[in-house]
Amino acid sequence: MGVLTQNMPHRDDGPTRLVRPVPAAPIQQSSADPLAVLPAKVRQFVERAVTLCQPDRVHVCDGSEAENAALLRQMQAVGMIEPLPKYDNCWLARTDPADVARVESKTFIVTEQKREAVPIPGKGVRGTLGNWMSPEDLEEAVADRFPGCMRGRTLYVVPFSMGPVGSPLSKIGIELTDSPYVVASMRIMTRMGGKVLETLGDGDFVKCLHSVGLPEPVTGPSGIRWPCNPAKTLIAHVPERREILSFGSGYGGNSLLGKKCFALRIGSTIARREGWLAEHMLILGITNPAGHKRYIAAAFPSACGKTNLAMLQPSLPGYKVECVGDDIAWMRFDKNGVLRAINPENGFFGVAPGTSSTTNPVAMATVASNTIFTNVARTADGGVYWEGLEKEVDTSAGVTDWQGRPWTPGSGAPSAHPNSRFCAPAGQCPIIDPQWESAEGVPISAILFGGRRPEGVPLVYEAFNWEHGVLLGAAMRSEATAAAEHKGKVIMHDPFAMRPFFGYNFGHYLSHWLSMEQRGQRLPKIFHINWFRKSPSGQFLWPGFGENVRVLDWVLRRVEGEPCARRSAVGWLPAEGALRLDGLPQRPDLEQLFSLPGDFWRREVEEVGRYLADQVGDDLPNQVAHQLDELRQRVAELE
Ligand code: GTP
Ligand code: SPV
Ligand code: MN
């Protein structure tokens, strides 16, 4: 029985009458009964949440310009955001320093049986493929947190569509939140309000309940205007009832519930049942100099280059890249066995540091208007600043850091938080693909897996077949980044870039991926890439960014069936001279970029083997174990 779908004990005055129309409400709702516009099932959901959370007001969002402007003004008035007058309709939010990234340790999948949610780890091993909670424990956790949590606040009803409104591949959610920042961000990240309720009718939707976790008038632990409750933060998902309950954090993936919670965790469980894939992948279109266009999807862990690749400015003449999405792909085989992908999102929630006119001019153009920046630094003239903009932003008039303190270059501490982000409408991207809102999705020719691997892993290699490709995804590892609460540059396992986002047992997820081989007529080829290999002196061996088109060029030629590859122990590598290097100012050290050190690879295979045995155990499909055995035999020969 779900927390929000069970019969809540009704109070005497009835749930709707708790919704007092307050004259001072910052946003006026035209109807005396703000819930009158809601379909019956949505209304019931809202009423139960109102009974539980006891907000002072309820506001049903229509997604209009006027509504958004009023929300922004209201947040500005209380000091939650400030305008950035250097740009058009851009805003800066500073969060509580205790609420700056996703909190994986407090993120749970709730199922009757633990094994539905997570594999059973080996004896004495702590499972790291997600956290499970029982329905009973969830009831208790909710009872400990949500009752009365919205007192003094407004509960916003946010109807949203993941995917273009009305597309057969799209899904609808309703997020109830007490954070106006979440509302304004959801308006950018999803198709919000407008026709969503009409399209939903009496259909089913994903129920999302979010609270910053503190009634008014309390501010956050640090006293700034970012209410949150880190000690009680909980992000729970109930796949069976398609419910998400998020408490205590107002930041990113913890609170914009359409993104990781819905589109990946709940999404992956829906996808499994319906026979498709919900993945942490960018989608891009690439046209070669002959005018032939293909689409590629790529999974890299958080803060490892998806946004950058999705907006790549090719350095090779005649190539053109267009962006369909930068974070999430929903993909399914159509009736002809072609894998088709949609981007369920409507905006980019991108990493700010490192973004500049040299690395990603497209992103810089995208965020010049209608963008909410979070935890970046600010220049005296009302512009943004972060690490990576040293060469293009004049800081001489002064910079305020992400915590609102004066900052000077060379002070040691970063001006912007390493996980500071921009939230910008995808439609503003100057290279948005003409097909990005196509109802049937774009056909995917290649899938890339990759990560930050300073050592041992070549720039690019191709899987021998689908099953081997599934091993490449399962064996993904990457240096930890600031996108989550991990510390230091430790190399972590992040299978399919989904470790923080699986909605069900990773072993079953692998079986699901393997089963796709039967659905596809023209299966995409699978590759592994690594832009981050370093020389012994610690320099990146590959220039990256716009030059990554050289790798895509090779990938596309492989897709077309060109024999431009040589067999190696780990997969197909570019044949001698096949990787285009013409026009590069400096010839990269290909020997180091593509070397396969025997000791490294034997250690890698053992490490991956141990990980899969310890973490996935009996749920590991035989085919994956078999692929790993084959790899073990091949790398035994390496010098
Ligand atoms: P999430 O939004 O967290 O899922 O991350 P993402 O995968 O979209 O990450 P993003 O593209 O924002 O990349 C984050 C960091 O990777 C930035 O600091 C970039 O500068 C760096 N980066 C991206 N591409 C390259 C590259 O080709 N080479 C190098 N050296 N760094 C890169
Ligand atoms: C990620 O961490 O992969 C993100 C940012 O894309 S968040 O939405 O916060 O999860
Ligand atoms: Mn992401």
Side-chain angles (χ1 to χ4, degrees):
M1 195 52 94
V3 173
L4 291 168
T5 37
Q6 72 187 351
N7 288 323
M8 301 290 303
H10 279 207
R11 289 163 48 131
D12 287 340
D13 51 357
T16 44
R17 261 176 292 145
L18 280 171
V19 185
R20 284 177 267 138
V22 177
I27 298 169
Q28 297 302 323
Q29 198 93 48
S30 50
S31 156
D33 174 6
L35 306 190
V37 295
L38 300 176
K41 283 185 197 165
V42 180
R43 182 176 181 130
Q44 211 174 43
F45 172 51
V46 175
E47 285 174 355
R48 283 179 177 148
V50 165
T51 306
L52 180 66
C53 305
Q54 298 168 28
D56 274 21
R57 299 165 290 273
V58 171
H59 175 86
V60 179
C61 298
D62 61 14
S64 65
E65 279 295 343
E67 177 184 80
N68 187 49
L71 265 177
L72 291 167
R73 264 201 314 277
Q74 174 203 331
M75 282 191 277
Q76 184 185 358
V78 299
M80 200 171 177
I81 59 170
E82 56 184 82
L84 292 164
K86 197 169 166 186
Y87 321 109
D88 177 22
N89 191 31
C90 287
W91 301 83
L92 169 60
R94 293 194 185 95
T95 74
D96 191 285
D99 190 22
V100 292
R102 281 183 291 102
V103 277
E104 290 170 21
S105 59
K106 295 172 180 187
T107 300
F108 293 86
I109 307 295
V110 180
T111 52
E112 286 290 341
Q113 301 298 320
K114 182 171 182 178
R115 197 166 176 179
E116 296 169 57
V118 291
I120 308 303
K123 272 220 158 27
V125 176
R126 191 179 60 89
T128 56
L129 284 163
N131 305 309
W132 172 75
M133 190 181 270
S134 72
E136 295 73 33
D137 286 351
L138 177 67
E139 297 269 332
E140 209 171 290
V142 167
D144 182 39
R145 287 168 175 80
F146 282 92
C149 66
M150 295 187 187
R151 273 190 209 121
R153 296 192 189 282
T154 301
L155 179 153
Y156 299 93
V157 179
V158 181
F160 64 97
S161 175
M162 298 311 287
V165 179
S167 155
L169 301 186
S170 299
K171 308 265 178 214
I172 287 175
I174 307 286
E175 178 162 352
L176 311 182
T177 178
D178 55 7
S179 162
Y181 167 89
V182 166
V183 178
S185 305
M186 285 292 283
R187 182 169 181 267
I188 296 172
M189 295 306 297
T190 72
R191 282 91 175 170
M192 186 259 260
K195 288 205 172 319
V196 175
L197 285 178
E198 231 172 89
T199 309
L200 176 63
D202 62 2
D204 288 318
F205 54 92
V206 175
K207 298 187 182 77
C208 312
L209 176 61
H210 168 255
S211 172
V212 296
L214 285 178
E216 284 281 31
V218 193
T219 49
S222 71
I224 66 164
R225 189 62 200 209
W226 184 269
C228 59
N229 193 343
K232 291 233 152 162
T233 294
L234 173 77
I235 297 121
H237 308 70
V238 193
E240 202 193 325
R241 312 204 67 94
R242 300 193 181 179
E243 283 179 14
I244 300 160
L245 295 120
S246 168
F247 187 93
S249 165
Y251 198 83
N254 299 334
S255 68
L256 314 181
L257 300 185
K259 199 172 179 47
K260 301 299 160 79
C261 298
F262 178 165
L264 290 180
R265 297 195 192 96
I266 295 292
S268 64
T269 67
I270 299 174
R272 181 191 185 202
R273 209 168 316 151
E274 297 180 356
W276 50 280
L277 300 166
E279 301 298 331
H280 192 199
M281 290 183 182
L282 68 92
I283 309 163
L284 63 80
I286 176 162
T287 310
N288 72 9
H292 190 50
K293 184 165 186 178
R294 296 274 191 185
Y295 289 93
I296 291 176
F300 314 148
S302 301
C304 289
K306 289 185 299 300
T307 304
N308 280 273
L309 188 63
M311 298 180 186
L312 176 135
Q313 289 289 280
S315 65
L316 286 177
Y319 266 103
K320 180 162 93 175
V321 165
E322 288 161 296
C323 174
V324 177
D326 81 328
D327 199 49
I328 298 175
W330 282 356
M331 308 193 288
R332 69 172 84 199
F333 285 100
D334 66 13
K335 59 181 190 313
N336 301 317
V338 173
L339 188 63
R340 291 192 169 267
I342 66 163
N343 168 15
E345 300 193 279
N346 191 44
F348 308 122
F349 186 64
V351 178
T355 310
S356 73
S357 303
T358 9
T359 59
N360 194 346
V362 174
M364 293 306 283
T366 306
V367 304
S369 58
N370 308 313
T371 296
I372 301 174
F373 295 90
T374 302
N375 289 343
V376 302
R378 179 195 157 107
T379 55
D381 61 344
V384 293
Y385 188 72
W386 51 71
E387 283 48 51
L389 290 176
E390 293 82 356
K391 292 204 182 107
E392 56 200 69
V393 173
D394 179 10
T395 55
S396 54
V399 170
T400 308
D401 79 3
W402 69 277
Q403 296 186 77
R405 303 174 303 203
W407 179 90
T408 41
S411 71
S415 63
H417 187 277
N419 191 41
S420 55
R421 301 240 168 196
F422 52 78
C423 181
Q428 286 183 189
C429 175
I431 60 161
I432 199 75
D433 192 80
Q435 291 300 308
W436 86 282
E437 300 195 273
S438 133
E440 69 272 23
V442 297
I444 298 298
S445 299
I447 293 173
L448 274 48
F449 295 121
R452 289 177 183 262
R453 297 304 304 266
E455 247 193 284
V457 179
L459 178 64
V460 59
Y461 61 99
E462 178 191 330
F464 292 124
N465 51 50
W466 185 262
E467 205 177 276
H468 181 220
V470 172
L471 174 68
L472 299 193
M476 275 170 67
R477 301 175 71 198
S478 192
E479 254 178 10
T481 66
E485 74 253 60
H486 310 291
K487 298 270 179 289
K489 287 203 162 183
V490 32
I491 307 277
M492 299 178 60
H493 288 272
D494 194 349
F496 291 80
M498 281 286 283
R499 187 189 38 74
F501 310 120
F502 292 121
Y504 64 97
N505 183 317
F506 171 54
H508 303 161
Y509 169 98
L510 285 170
S511 302
H512 185 58
W513 260 82
L514 289 165
S515 77
M516 290 295 144
E517 192 170 5
Q518 273 72 58
R519 290 177 192 266
Q521 295 296 318
R522 267 172 289 157
L523 288 164
K525 277 179 176 281
I526 298 180
F527 298 81
H528 189 285
I529 61 92
N530 175 27
W531 315 140
F532 299 93
R533 194 164 183 177
K534 289 182 173 169
S535 68
S537 62
Q539 305 297 312
F540 286 122
L541 288 165
W542 180 249
F545 303 104
E547 305 294 358
N548 292 335
V549 70
R550 297 168 190 280
V551 171
L552 299 188
D553 164 76
W554 182 73
V555 163
L556 290 181
R557 281 153 52 210
R558 289 298 292 159
V559 167
E560 302 302 338
E562 255 192 59
C564 50
R566 63 187 161 99
R567 218 183 153 83
S568 83
V570 300
W572 294 102
L573 293 174
E576 191 75 34
L579 188 69
R580 283 186 58 182
L581 300 174
D582 47 304
L584 265 182
Q586 243 186 330
R587 202 187 149 81
D589 185 338
L590 293 185
E591 183 119 2
Q592 282 196 60
L593 262 174
F594 285 101
S595 74
L596 298 173
D599 285 348
F600 171 90
W601 275 97
R602 284 184 285 275
R603 254 186 288 125
E604 182 74 6
V605 170
E606 286 326 303
E607 173 52 38
V608 169
R610 187 164 44 239
Y611 175 75
L612 294 176
D614 281 355
Q615 291 293 331
V616 196
D618 291 346
D619 292 322
L620 187 71
N622 290 335
Q623 296 100 306
V624 176
H626 169 73
Q627 283 294 333
L628 190 66
D629 284 340
E630 303 251 291
L631 177 64
R632 184 180 287 110
Q633 281 168 32
R634 293 194 305 265
V635 303
E637 317 277 300
L638 287 173
E639 282 177 26

